Amino acid sequence: MRKEKTTSNSGKHKYKQEQNSDPNTDSRLAAGGELHQVAGGKHPPLTTNQGVSLSDNQNSLRANPLGPTLLEDFILREKITHFDHERIPERIVHARATGLHGFFELTTSLKQYTTARVLTEVGEKTPVFTRISTVAGGSGSVDTPRDVRGFAIKFYTKEGNWDLVGNNIPVFFIQDAIKFPDLIHAVKMEPDRGFPQSATAHDTFWDFISLTPESMHMVMWIMSDRTLPRSLRMIEGFGVHSFRLINDAGESTFVKFHWRPKLGLQSTIWDETVKIAGADQDFHRRDMFNAIEAGDFPEWEFSVQLFTQKEADGFPFDHLDATKLIPEELVPLQVIGRMVLDRWPNNFFAETEQVAYCPSHVVPGIDFSNDPLLQGRLFSYLDTQLSRLGSHNFHQIPVNAPKCPFANQQRDGHMQMAQPSGRVAYEPNSLSENSPREMPAKGFHSAAATETGDKGRIRAESFADHYSQARQFYRSQTAYEQAHIASALVFELSKVEHVHVREAMVGHLRHIEADLASRVAAGLGFEKIPDAPAAAASVRELALSPALQIIGKMKDTLMGRAIGILIADGSDGTLIAKIKAAATNAGATVKIVAPKVGGAKLANGAMLAVDGQLAGTPSVLFDAVAVILSDEGAKELSLEGAAIDFVRDAFGHLKAIAVDRGGRALLKMANVGQDAGVVDASDEKAFIAAAKTRQWDREKSIRTLA
Ligand code: HDE
């Protein structure tokens, strides 16, 4: 029976038919490498990795049409083996990311402070590759968890690669690198159950944090809306640690690096973020891709804070402690350049995945400080690239290779691409006239520093104050932002099963701000506010720093923002066109949303093409919405859950809503309130003005905040 089947004619016949159904197989080409004409253009021959052209890419080699596959099929084996090895270990942190090419342009020279050309040659454009990431989730996780964003820039300078590997938050959780594996193990999915993916709202994270008082300043930042960015084009970036600049006299100055987005700072709010994750898992990546496609190149201003050791001695904190920031009111920011990202990579894996940043990649004129977190990072990144990319020759991968000449006597090893010629592979030598040599004057020099003191595992006394800057941050926020921080803490701690962990956290909050502790305690249903733990240093009153707010740094603009117009059959085409024109002129991207993707028949009988179908294009994807409906259309949409959610969420997420009579009727039927942010669609100017901000005052009427 079996034998009959494997040799049957019907099987053979079927094989032939399938093969012929592919138009490309009609003109298969023999070896030779020249282009050949097939449907859709000229194509090179499809070959194995040895350059042998294939006659058939649809069928493996079999003993007979229904028989076993032959081991001899080197084409199949090569293809499958290659496929089996397509993945490399994802980054242990910062696995999920968006990467882009662009350039850095210096506008002010720091010649007085550094010899690094990238910071001294005004007008020079240095190519960069920038990777913006989430921290905790795996590479397939969503773009919008509550999380810190990594902000890593590789500058391909004429003097070598400089990697500035920072975050969108200027401080960090821990003071010493030895705690990093514990921190990351605590935040990642819990090891026994394998969840939650990409979330801090779970027991192990808050357990570790509650036992790590030094993290309290960072806790204020991650519970703020900074971890819920509206777009990767609307985040700040920080080098976090103090670095050093060294000038040609060998003098060093401390420096902190800052990136500020041209589009201003903007975040979403928590309920919106959660829903965006469902509506579009690639929300940030898609936003960036679309911006690049549209020629709206994201841009950041580059600034420095410069200070001397003497000035640092006067700060009420230690600048070598990465849980502290230097308020700009204390050391002002000096704008020295800009970065524009203008090109999507050709290939995600080759570039975004394989790019290997190392904080140890600096150029002459830039050096490290003694920040113990930075010192640990100087080891970690090179080490991780070796395991991730599998070879110490990772610097030869195009995205990692310097764009200036580089040469040394390092040789061989896995995946060596270079073919150095000649007899000499050592230095010094007398046998070669053109082998690379050290450059005593211009080569890299470390800052001259004298180290004194006792060797040991000792946390510096100057690192003991864990609460003062946390208090400064919280107090510097607007009332809306404070409410979001308190509510985020209630949300996160409500997900923590262990009551003693919730209590311990609220205890810490007492040191930060009594009011915050009592709001969170009330939100958690505590009858009594738990006691505060002993503090290693007394909490100081630092001057407020409004620069730490988000709301204060939002820009009054629709550039980079999106407006959705919900319509249905019978909608008023003139009104739709007017709103669309006004929003487009203000810089927004406009999308028309209707129940059917094929379009909507307007009141005048014309069909209007639409950009999104209602169920798949919720209002969370927009910064403001307009609802333009006939009376009949409003009635029909009032029976549509997606339409009800569209207007409820727009209102609930504090967005401006423009309505005509039908739109207003839908709001009423959806039980959505009407306030100053709900404007008449005929007044498009009022709508544009309202769309540029959020209706912060609305929030207390629709949501119980802590
Ligand atoms: Fe990282 N971090 N980190 N980190 N980090 C990595 O390197 C590490 C820290 C940051 O887009 C890893 O290539 C240690 C602070 C970014 O490819 C790893 C410590 C800041 C990225 C690593 C820190 C960062 C990473 C994982 C404590 C902000 C993504 C994969 C001492 C200033 C880079 C990799 C990219 C990635 C170690 C703390 C930023 C394991 C040990 C502080 C933006 O090497």
Side-chain angles (χ1 to χ4, degrees):
M1 180 74 178
R2 196 185 293 158
K3 196 175 173 194
E4 219 174 84
K5 231 183 172 179
T6 53
T7 54
S8 77
N9 280 338
S10 61
K12 197 168 185 176
H13 182 63
K14 193 160 178 276
Y15 163 78
K16 274 288 167 211
Q17 262 187 352
E18 276 180 13
Q19 195 184 41
N20 288 342
S21 67
D22 179 359
N24 285 336
T25 58
D26 292 346
S27 56
R28 258 181 263 131
L29 180 91
E34 74 269 28
L35 297 180
H36 57 129
Q37 191 79 41
V38 288
K42 294 201 163 188
H43 302 269
L46 184 68
T47 73
T48 66
N49 288 332
Q50 302 307 314
V52 175
S53 70
L54 268 57
S55 64
D56 183 344
N57 190 34
Q58 321 305 321
N59 298 288
S60 46
L61 184 65
R62 307 179 68 186
N64 62 59
L66 291 175
T69 302
L70 300 181
L71 190 57
E72 171 192 327
D73 189 350
F74 66 95
I75 294 172
L76 170 74
R77 278 189 290 119
E78 183 200 78
K79 185 174 175 182
I80 297 281
T81 305
H82 197 279
F83 170 75
D84 290 345
H85 296 260
E86 275 177 7
R87 289 290 167 274
I88 57 174
E90 69 174 30
R91 290 164 172 81
I92 168 67
V93 282
H94 297 266
R96 168 91 188 162
T98 300
L100 293 128
H101 293 277
F103 64 86
F104 169 71
E105 184 180 7
L106 192 73
T107 50
T108 301
S109 172
L110 291 183
K111 210 173 184 105
Q112 190 186 340
Y113 304 100
T114 180
T115 57
R117 273 192 68 133
V118 60
L119 300 179
T120 61
E121 303 306 299
V122 171
E124 189 157 294
K125 287 188 176 170
T126 303
V128 299
F129 187 79
T130 295
R131 188 175 179 276
I132 308 180
S133 47
T134 56
V135 179
S139 64
S141 56
V142 299
D143 272 351
T144 49
R146 175 181 289 284
D147 203 353
V148 181
R149 297 304 187 282
F151 199 91
I153 296 97
K154 190 179 282 293
F155 297 78
Y156 303 94
T157 88
K158 289 184 173 159
E159 298 171 310
N161 286 353
W162 173 33
D163 294 353
L164 184 54
V165 195
N167 279 342
N168 76 327
I169 288 179
V171 290
F172 202 64
F173 293 95
I174 47 172
Q175 297 174 321
D176 190 310
I178 201 167
K179 295 310 299 166
F180 192 65
D182 298 297
L183 167 72
I184 298 307
H185 287 173
V187 72
K188 283 256 175 186
M189 46 193 195
E190 298 186 10
D192 58 346
R193 57 210 66 189
F195 60 82
Q197 170 73 269
S198 189
T200 45
H202 60 116
D203 284 62
T204 58
F205 176 72
W206 286 105
D207 184 29
F208 176 79
I209 292 294
S210 68
L211 297 169
T212 310
E214 70 206 55
S215 65
M216 290 307 143
H217 186 195
M218 182 70 168
V219 164
M220 291 296 101
W221 283 83
I222 61 166
M223 291 296 107
S224 82
D225 294 346
R226 292 256 177 179
T227 42
L228 314 175
R230 156 65 181 88
S231 159
L232 301 180
R233 300 180 282 154
M234 299 171 200
I235 61 172
E236 293 185 331
F238 303 91
V240 178
H241 314 279
S242 296
F243 289 84
R244 285 172 187 273
L245 297 180
I246 304 180
N247 66 14
D248 48 13
E251 296 156 346
S252 95
T253 308
F254 287 115
V255 59
K256 291 240 187 203
F257 297 107
H258 297 246
W259 299 99
R260 282 195 169 160
K262 198 176 161 197
L263 293 177
L265 206 55
Q266 193 174 325
S267 289
T268 55
I269 59 176
W270 177 241
D271 184 71
E272 185 186 11
T273 311
V274 169
K275 289 173 177 163
I276 289 173
D280 185 357
Q281 303 210 353
D282 309 297
F283 185 65
H284 284 152
R285 190 178 287 180
R286 192 188 309 278
D287 167 81
M288 193 65 106
F289 183 85
N290 289 342
I292 298 288
E293 290 275 289
D296 287 339
F297 301 138
E299 185 171 333
W300 283 263
E301 214 174 64
F302 190 53
S303 308
V304 289
Q305 282 178 302
L306 298 169
F307 55 99
T308 60
Q309 179 66 58
K310 197 160 167 242
E311 285 165 319
D313 292 341
F315 296 160
F317 50 83
D318 195 328
H319 74 102
L320 298 178
D321 168 1
T323 68
K324 306 294 184 294
L325 55 80
I326 305 181
E328 9 184 315
E329 292 79 1
L330 188 60
V331 179
L333 265 60
Q334 301 179 36
V335 181
I336 60 157
R338 65 182 192 124
M339 173 172 71
V340 178
L341 301 180
D342 57 5
R343 187 162 64 82
W344 196 258
N346 290 329
N347 184 277
F348 186 88
F349 180 84
E351 299 169 89
T352 309
E353 191 61 14
Q354 291 200 113
V355 65
Y357 297 94
C358 298
S360 53
H361 292 168
V362 289
V363 292
I366 301 178
D367 199 9
F368 317 113
S369 70
N370 280 353
D371 175 343
L373 202 64
L374 174 61
Q375 293 281 320
R377 294 181 73 205
L378 299 181
F379 162 73
S380 178
Y381 289 65
L382 178 58
D383 183 48
T384 213
Q385 308 314 345
L386 296 180
S387 85
R388 228 165 52 73
L389 296 164
S391 160
H392 54 258
N393 288 317
F394 70 83
H395 63 281
Q396 298 181 10
I397 296 171
V399 72
N400 293 324
K403 295 193 195 297
C404 64
F406 60 103
N408 55 44
Q409 311 291 7
Q410 296 170 24
R411 291 288 186 273
D412 309 342
H414 279 292
M415 299 295 164
Q416 178 58 258
M417 304 289 156
Q419 298 171 19
S421 56
R423 203 168 172 181
V424 159
Y426 54 90
E427 196 276 343
N429 70 72
S430 65
L431 305 189
S432 162
E433 283 180 350
N434 58 1
S435 64
R437 297 292 165 104
E438 60 199 21
M439 307 227 300
K442 284 199 155 180
F444 180 84
H445 282 281
S446 297
T450 312
E451 302 294 347
T452 54
D454 296 334
K455 173 177 164 185
R457 299 184 182 278
I458 304 157
R459 193 70 62 98
E461 197 54 47
S462 56
F463 281 32
D465 176 3
H466 303 319
Y467 300 105
S468 301
Q469 285 210 345
R471 174 181 291 188
Q472 177 186 40
F473 178 81
Y474 181 75
R475 288 194 175 169
S476 299
Q477 304 299 307
T478 62
Y480 307 115
E481 288 164 299
Q482 288 181 343
H484 285 193
I485 293 171
S487 303
L489 280 159
V490 171
F491 174 90
E492 297 262 323
L493 295 175
S494 297
K495 296 269 183 187
V496 171
E497 291 163 14
H498 292 83
V499 178
H500 75 273
V501 173
R502 291 186 211 149
E503 287 172 349
M505 267 315 300
V506 177
H508 286 294
L509 300 180
R510 293 185 80 154
H511 285 307
I512 297 173
E513 175 70 281
D515 175 56
L516 175 63
S518 59
R519 287 162 86 165
V520 175
L524 292 171
F526 284 149
E527 284 186 357
K528 177 178 159 292
I529 305 178
D531 292 336
S538 55
V539 188
R540 303 196 206 191
E541 297 300 335
L542 302 173
L544 297 191
S545 171
L548 303 178
Q549 295 169 10
I550 302 171
I551 291 184
K553 282 182 171 170
M554 271 178 75
K555 281 211 172 145
D556 194 25
T557 178
L558 280 188
M559 299 291 288
R561 275 70 175 177
I563 304 282
I565 309 181
L566 176 60
I567 66 162
D569 286 347
S571 291
D572 176 348
T574 319
L575 200 49
I576 297 169
K578 250 175 80 176
I579 292 178
K580 186 172 178 176
T584 311
N585 289 341
T589 308
V590 178
K591 288 214 163 119
I592 309 278
V593 182
K596 290 184 184 156
V597 76
K601 197 171 204 176
L602 301 177
N604 64 5
M607 278 302 281
L608 183 66
V610 308
D611 307 293
Q613 190 245 348
L614 175 56
T617 320
S619 63
V620 291
L621 302 178
F622 304 111
D623 295 277
V625 298
V627 187
I628 309 297
L629 297 170
S630 65
D631 294 347
E632 198 48 40
K635 235 183 259 161
E636 269 171 33
L637 287 194
S638 72
L639 304 173
E640 200 59 70
I644 302 294
D645 289 346
F646 192 95
V647 291
R648 270 199 195 154
D649 277 346
F651 194 80
H653 301 149
L654 319 182
K655 293 170 184 173
I657 308 178
V659 282
D660 63 353
R661 200 174 70 189
R664 214 174 271 281
L666 180 66
L667 258 57
K668 227 177 187 169
M669 289 185 271
N671 245 335
V672 170
Q674 315 226 346
D675 62 13
V678 179
V679 297
D680 208 285
S682 59
D683 187 353
E684 70 273 10
K685 269 200 189 133
F687 173 55
I688 297 301
K692 288 180 179 171
T693 176
R694 295 262 175 151
Q695 313 302 308
W696 301 110
D697 278 339
R698 184 189 290 162
E699 192 156 35
K700 55 184 179 302
S701 69
I702 50 162
R703 188 169 293 124
T704 309
L705 290 169

